[in-house]
């Protein structure tokens, strides 16, 4: 997992959400929301892993 991949998923989800709004596709909008949340989770997981690694190096 990487922060960049998480951000990329968030952007992709936002684009999909915009497209879903434009064509009034509820399923696409729901998928977009899920994709954005997955991206945020990946981003947060990566951030936590980085902080843990930094903390371990200080010891």
């Amino acid at each position: 997992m990487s922060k960049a991949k998480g951000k990329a998923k968030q952007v992709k989800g936002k684009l999909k959400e915009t497209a879903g709004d434009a064509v009034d596709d509820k399923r696409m909008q729901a998928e977009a929301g899920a994709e954005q949340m997955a991206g945020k989770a990946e981003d947060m997981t990566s951030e936590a892993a980085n902080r843990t690694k930094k903390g371990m190096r200080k010891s």
Side-chain angles (χ1 to χ4, degrees), residues 2-52:
S2 74
K3 192 168 181 121
K5 285 183 181 180
K7 292 289 183 190
K9 281 184 183 180
Q10 289 179 48
V11 170
K12 183 179 175 186
K14 188 64 179 170
L15 291 171
K16 190 182 279 189
E17 179 182 38
T18 301
D21 288 345
V23 296
D24 198 30
D25 186 335
K26 301 295 183 198
R27 182 176 179 181
M28 186 182 289
Q29 293 168 342
E31 289 174 0
E35 196 159 356
Q36 287 179 56
M37 293 299 286
K40 287 179 185 177
E42 189 167 334
D43 188 20
M44 292 173 67
T45 302
S46 176
E47 184 66 32
N50 287 338
R51 287 183 182 181
T52 301

